[in-house]
Amino acid sequence: MYILKANCQEPSYQKAAEIFQDYYYRITGIMLRMETVPCEDEDMIVIGSEAVQPFVYKKLRGGTPIRCHTDDYCIISKEEHNRTLLFLAGGRGRSTIYAVYDFFERRGECHYFWDGDVIPQKETIDIKNLKVKESPRFAYRAIRYFAHRGLKRFQAEHWDFEDWKQEIDWLCKKRLNTFMLRIGMDDLFQKAFPDIVEYPSNEEPLPEAIGGYDERTTFWSLEYRGQLRKQVLDYAFMCDLSHPEDCGTMTHWYSRTPLQFLKKENPSFLSQSSEGYTEQTGLVWDIMKEKNLNNYWKLTDTSVKEYGKPELFHTIGLAERTYSNDRRANLDLKKYAYQKIIDYVSRTYPNAPLMVAAWDFLGYLEPDEVVELTEMFDPEKIIILDYTVDKKAEYNNFEKWNIMGKLPWIFGMFHAYEPQNHIHGDFEYLNSKLQIASGDSYCKGMALWPEISHCDSLTLEFFTENAWNPRGRSIEEIAYELCEKRYGEQAETMKKIWNSFLPTMKLPSQCYAPYYFNTLDPSSDRHPVWNVLQGKPLSKQYEEYWKHHKEDDKLVDDNANEMFDLISKLPEEVFDLPFIRRDVTDMMKTVVVKKLQYVYFQALAAFYDWTIGKDCANQLREKLERSQALLALLGDILGLHEDHSMYYSFLDLEKNRPVNPFFDQAYRENVINFYCRTSVFEAVKGVYEKEVAVFKEWILKKIETGDTNVLDTEKLIQKREQIFDEFKATPLKAFHNDRKPTYKIIAEKLFEIF
């Protein structure tokens, strides 16, 4: 048997042949040879449709049953003169790759996950009796990688070229076709304006660095980041994937204007009425002036020339900002910005559609304003990229924008803000909305557009399945199939663990950092802690959350006990299996995060009751002590796996190339800020536990002295800064010096607490 590869110039067909050769060898140990000329007396693997293989037209009597230049593909066996011909053909290069991976899943019993493949060993692979044709429901199946930093697993900016190759291969295995690197500007200003903007030193802080998640000091040199971006996109294009090019008013927190550019070009700025991104490096240049617009266009043109392709564009418009307290004036300006962006793309790249991101629609416009805005869009040019469906904003979603049946649009999941690296999702809600979307012929795609990557394997299975063809399957069905594919001999045991976990996973997940991670931040309005303490009413969202919390808390307890009991009985050697170790860690982490939310809310409620004269000091003390115990165990859980460690993520950064010596401090700023706090081992041990201890001492002292003044927060803020300073001064490795407990020990302790 041999492989007949396509004799054409497009590299994706060569890639498809190489994938077949590689996976056949991995499964059987047999290395098939490749040919470009057919032989008459051997079994043959034929790669490509009649468009690139005239032999296919001859043997299949008119060719393959697929549409040319689409993501359709077929897998067809044909018996001929005591031999078998296996045709793996796609409407284009990438769908030919899909066909190859699909074959090895069907007949090789391979399964593909973001963190690795399941590849069995066989003596041979049956190629007979196959007649498969696949066609996707959605033309765009898209995923985005974002610009936050922290842990390598979740933050794409940490990935080097080999990591990206694995990721892009996974996109092909899961039949996705579009991805977006929204991880900063890299060296775009240096390439677009070489006489104005120099490459910064990689041995000092970035001049534009501000602090928190805005601290953009690079770990690798900006020169290398540009080279890496080029490598990544070249590899993706070799696989025939699409990448939308950013265009228009791109200034944002992760794509700030370099100070050198500001000093030499001195652009004027639009006047914002909103508070975010108000530093000059974060302000949008005044688009009423052609010079500023031309400089924005130059960034886009340079990106196309240096990195990308002029086939698909993306804009956020004037997103995440308002420019006037007068809604009419604000909307008119945003409409003007879109008009200028659309005009430029249409004139310069007339064959390329433009994706208009809907983030601004949800957060900064009213439904009637969105309707007015979208009425000016040409359906031949514009695709609405809506990745906000799971925000569950029934008052302001795709059903209210008057786009269904009128404008091409993409149905999307935001899924995770930066702090949400636990397993979560309201999949019943998503299925109900996806049914509506898939019934609209103008819905052209499905997207996963989160702030973090790989937060859980279950969500990725849900997304990739439905992006190809929405089947409406329940999350239980998807989870049980995941177990069968992912865990081998432990599949039935893991089904039981997932079954005990899923009821907790389904409970509401708050948008921002779990509140106990921001205990000493009275200035933050992203959680209700300090509103409760100051006697302010809760928002409707939190009232609903509070109304159900007792019932939900009991549900967590009942199911968690079963889950922890099952985990405690697993043989310790099972945790040497990478998939089980990772997923059990994720499930344990998620359950404790949920429980901490409830316990902390209960403590706040008890404190509030005490301030108005109720006798609940003992209850308050018990809740605070319980939250401390849970937080300590969360740290122990995170310490079980390198995924959740800054130290191990930092080691990966240093593995292949020098790291900016100032990045260590920037790294801590990136993780321990009001927005990005999440489940990170060193953060729990070095910051969160200490903050909760201070908070507990503060409250108990109030009870002891009878002080009901809840606004004396200055000392708490000072303590917070002190804790953070100590954390920044402690080497990351120092947090790993203590011996870590085992899964069994932690599960047993959690069983006792729950």
Side-chain angles (χ1 to χ4, degrees):
M1 186 163 70
Y2 70 99
I3 302 167
L4 182 67
K5 64 181 182 178
N7 189 13
C8 66
Q9 297 299 313
E10 189 174 339
S12 52
Y13 289 100
Q14 175 68 24
K15 177 72 173 174
E18 291 171 355
I19 292 167
F20 193 98
Q21 184 184 55
D22 178 37
Y23 274 75
Y24 198 90
Y25 176 77
R26 290 198 212 182
I27 295 169
T28 66
I30 299 170
M31 180 66 73
L32 300 178
R33 75 182 191 277
M34 289 194 198
E35 302 285 354
T36 56
V37 178
C39 303
E40 295 297 327
D41 57 354
E42 292 183 68
D43 290 349
M44 189 189 311
I45 311 301
V46 184
I47 303 294
S49 73
E50 61 271 28
V52 293
Q53 285 274 27
F55 178 81
V56 175
Y57 176 80
K58 176 182 177 182
K59 293 298 180 182
L60 291 183
R61 295 185 180 180
T64 54
I66 55 178
R67 296 169 297 168
C68 186
H69 205 65
T70 70
D71 285 345
D72 294 0
Y73 65 87
C74 62
I75 306 172
I76 299 174
S77 302
K78 181 179 176 62
E79 302 302 315
E80 178 189 86
H81 307 308
N82 297 318
R83 68 170 180 165
T84 302
L85 307 179
L86 177 64
F87 296 91
L88 298 168
R92 57 187 296 164
R94 67 183 176 228
S95 47
T96 305
I97 292 174
Y98 301 160
V100 173
Y101 282 127
D102 190 350
F103 167 77
F104 283 108
E105 185 149 27
R106 292 173 187 268
R107 289 294 174 84
E109 298 178 13
C110 295
H111 303 298
Y112 314 118
F113 302 98
W114 68 268
D115 52 349
D117 296 341
V118 174
I119 303 179
Q121 302 300 297
K122 295 172 173 283
E123 290 185 4
T124 187
I125 302 174
D126 183 14
I127 65 171
K128 297 178 182 294
N129 302 314
L130 281 163
K131 189 175 182 180
V132 174
K133 179 190 172 185
E134 287 280 348
S135 182
R137 162 61 184 87
F138 294 125
Y140 295 95
R141 303 174 304 282
I143 194 166
R144 174 182 73 168
Y145 303 93
F146 201 51
H148 286 297
R149 296 166 174 169
L151 299 173
K152 178 180 178 179
R153 167 180 162 185
F154 305 106
Q155 274 80 34
E157 193 178 331
H158 288 245
W159 303 347
D160 214 336
F161 184 54
E162 290 303 314
D163 305 307
W164 275 112
K165 283 179 67 177
Q166 177 177 319
E167 185 73 5
I168 291 167
D169 289 344
W170 173 78
L171 300 183
C172 294
K173 293 167 187 175
K174 305 305 275 189
R175 302 183 293 191
L176 304 179
N177 62 9
T178 305
F179 81 113
M180 185 174 186
L181 298 177
R182 200 160 178 77
I183 56 176
M185 300 286 271
D186 293 329
D187 61 348
L188 201 51
F189 272 94
Q190 285 75 14
K191 284 186 165 69
F193 307 100
D195 297 333
I196 298 174
V197 184
E198 300 172 346
Y199 281 94
S201 166
N202 205 46
E203 295 185 351
E204 58 187 45
L206 191 71
E208 294 78 32
I210 295 172
Y213 60 84
D214 284 301
E215 169 49 283
R216 300 296 293 167
T217 294
T218 55
F219 39 87
W220 298 327
S221 72
L222 204 61
E223 291 94 330
Y224 178 69
R225 280 180 57 109
Q227 296 166 18
L228 178 60
R229 190 180 190 93
K230 173 69 172 168
Q231 281 184 295
V232 169
L233 288 175
D234 282 352
Y235 185 75
F237 296 148
M238 184 183 74
C239 297
D240 192 25
L241 298 182
S242 296
H243 180 270
E245 287 294 324
D246 248 343
C247 66
T249 48
M250 293 183 281
T251 313
H252 218 284
W253 67 262
Y254 47 83
S255 53
R256 290 184 173 275
T257 307
L259 290 174
Q260 285 184 333
F261 183 90
L262 292 176
K263 183 177 180 180
K264 295 180 181 178
E265 285 293 291
N266 193 28
S268 54
F269 305 104
L270 292 178
S271 178
Q272 289 183 198
S273 58
S274 54
E275 295 181 358
Y277 325 124
T278 54
E279 306 83 8
Q280 284 198 338
T281 57
L283 290 171
V284 174
W285 313 333
D286 185 356
I287 56 175
M288 299 298 176
K289 297 185 177 179
E290 286 300 314
K291 179 181 178 182
N292 290 329
L293 276 171
N294 289 336
N295 281 336
Y296 273 130
W297 308 148
K298 191 169 185 179
L299 288 171
T300 296
D301 294 341
T302 302
S303 184
V304 170
K305 176 185 174 184
E306 297 288 341
Y307 304 129
K309 290 184 176 181
E311 297 175 350
L312 180 63
F313 290 84
H314 166 271
T315 184
I316 60 172
L318 296 176
E320 287 200 315
R321 312 158 202 252
T322 54
Y323 295 88
S324 172
N325 293 323
D326 180 338
R327 297 203 67 86
R328 181 73 257 169
N330 182 67
L331 178 61
D332 286 345
L333 180 61
K334 293 198 172 191
K335 288 173 64 177
Y336 175 79
Y338 282 122
Q339 288 279 23
K340 298 298 286 189
I341 295 167
I342 294 167
D343 177 69
Y344 180 76
V345 173
S346 297
R347 285 187 292 104
T348 313
Y349 308 102
N351 297 319
L354 173 65
M355 288 180 170
V356 174
W359 187 249
D360 212 40
F361 298 3
L362 176 65
Y364 293 81
L365 296 174
E366 295 296 327
D368 61 319
E369 294 173 325
V370 179
V371 171
E372 181 179 335
L373 176 67
T374 57
E375 283 178 348
M376 72 180 195
F377 292 157
D378 179 358
E380 297 297 320
K381 297 286 186 182
I382 301 299
I383 303 168
I384 303 298
L385 173 58
D386 177 23
Y387 47 96
T388 66
V389 177
D390 53 349
K391 305 320 294 173
K392 300 171 74 170
E394 286 294 315
Y395 66 94
N396 190 12
N397 65 12
F398 68 88
E399 296 174 273
K400 303 292 193 296
W401 296 339
N402 199 31
I403 60 173
M404 296 176 66
K406 294 185 177 182
L407 275 173
W409 65 286
I410 291 173
F411 174 101
M413 306 159 55
F414 185 78
H415 186 62
Y417 287 97
E418 165 63 15
Q420 293 177 291
N421 71 3
H422 53 281
I423 304 172
H424 63 281
D426 190 338
F427 299 102
E428 291 180 7
Y429 179 84
L430 281 164
N431 267 333
S432 70
K433 293 300 182 183
L434 188 54
Q435 183 178 2
I436 296 170
S438 61
D440 179 16
S441 62
Y442 276 74
C443 185
K444 302 298 184 183
M446 185 172 179
L448 178 65
W449 225 243
E451 288 191 348
I452 57 174
S453 302
H454 306 157
C455 71
D456 63 87
S457 298
L458 185 62
T459 293
L460 294 174
E461 291 299 298
F462 174 87
F463 163 63
T464 53
E465 172 179 305
N466 285 290
W468 184 260
N469 181 21
R471 297 167 59 187
R473 291 206 301 163
S474 70
I475 200 63
E476 285 82 3
E477 292 175 282
I478 292 173
Y480 300 153
E481 184 175 302
L482 178 142
C483 291
E484 292 170 357
K485 292 179 176 180
R486 189 166 166 87
Y487 303 123
E489 294 178 356
Q490 298 296 327
E492 292 305 314
T493 299
M494 290 301 293
K495 279 184 185 179
K496 294 176 182 177
I497 292 174
W498 273 101
N499 192 57
S500 63
F501 167 74
L502 286 173
T504 300
M505 184 278 295
K506 288 183 173 183
L507 294 174
S509 178
Q510 295 305 297
C511 295
Y512 298 103
Y515 308 127
Y516 50 88
F517 288 175
N518 267 333
T519 306
L520 301 186
D521 189 6
S523 63
S524 176
D525 62 357
R526 298 204 181 264
H527 57 74
V529 172
W530 295 97
N531 287 338
V532 169
L533 296 186
Q534 296 172 30
K536 297 178 181 178
L538 295 175
S539 68
K540 289 183 179 180
Q541 176 188 3
Y542 296 122
E543 282 180 358
E544 189 70 17
Y545 183 73
W546 183 253
K547 182 169 65 176
H548 295 292
H549 93 279
K550 289 184 179 179
E551 181 181 333
D552 292 347
D553 188 25
K554 185 178 185 303
L555 184 147
V556 171
D557 286 352
D558 292 345
N559 288 279
N561 278 324
E562 180 182 351
M563 189 184 91
F564 294 136
D565 185 45
L566 288 166
I567 292 171
S568 69
K569 292 175 180 175
L570 286 174
E572 199 63 38
E573 59 267 22
V574 168
F575 296 105
D576 293 332
L577 302 172
F579 291 154
I580 290 180
R581 180 169 170 247
R582 170 168 286 123
D583 294 349
V584 167
T585 304
D586 284 356
M587 284 188 273
M588 292 173 72
K589 170 188 72 176
T590 300
V591 170
V592 174
V593 163
K594 293 282 190 185
K595 185 64 179 178
L596 267 166
Q597 285 184 341
Y598 296 131
V599 172
Y600 198 56
F601 254 71
Q602 291 160 8
L604 290 170
F607 181 57
Y608 182 70
D609 287 345
W610 176 81
T611 64
I612 59 175
K614 293 186 180 181
D615 183 13
C616 50
N618 290 334
Q619 178 188 357
L620 176 57
R621 182 179 288 104
E622 186 272 330
K623 297 300 180 187
L624 289 170
E625 289 173 352
R626 197 174 191 203
S627 68
Q628 281 185 295
L630 284 166
L631 193 55
L633 282 169
L634 175 62
D636 289 341
I637 292 168
L638 301 176
L640 293 169
H641 204 291
E642 296 81 8
D643 280 356
H644 305 287
S645 165
M646 295 173 67
Y647 172 65
Y648 287 104
S649 291
F650 199 92
L651 287 182
D652 272 331
L653 293 178
E654 293 182 313
K655 185 167 58 179
N656 295 325
R657 54 196 41 69
V659 171
N660 187 325
F662 287 88
F663 179 69
D664 179 84
Q665 295 301 300
Y667 189 24
R668 296 164 198 252
E669 290 273 359
N670 293 161
V671 174
I672 310 298
N673 61 74
F674 81 95
Y675 184 81
C676 297
R677 290 183 172 217
T678 188
S679 299
V680 174
F681 171 71
E682 293 85 356
V684 171
K685 293 300 181 185
V687 179
Y688 308 158
E689 286 186 12
K690 293 180 180 180
E691 289 185 342
V692 169
V694 169
F695 188 62
K696 173 188 170 186
E697 179 184 354
W698 180 70
I699 286 182
L700 294 181
K701 187 173 181 181
K702 283 184 171 296
I703 292 175
E704 180 184 334
T705 61
D707 177 11
T708 59
N709 177 13
V710 297
L711 298 178
D712 57 340
T713 56
E714 185 175 337
K715 289 183 179 179
L716 287 183
I717 295 173
Q718 291 174 353
K719 282 284 190 180
R720 181 189 66 190
E721 297 305 317
Q722 180 183 339
I723 290 168
F724 189 31
D725 288 343
E726 291 172 357
F727 176 70
K728 289 194 289 186
T730 304
L732 292 173
K733 189 176 187 306
F735 294 104
H736 295 263
N737 291 336
D738 296 335
R739 181 178 175 274
K740 304 294 182 299
T742 63
Y743 284 89
K744 180 180 179 65
I745 291 172
I746 295 175
E748 288 173 347
K749 287 182 179 179
L750 287 167
F751 184 80
E752 293 173 5
I753 289 181
F754 279 76

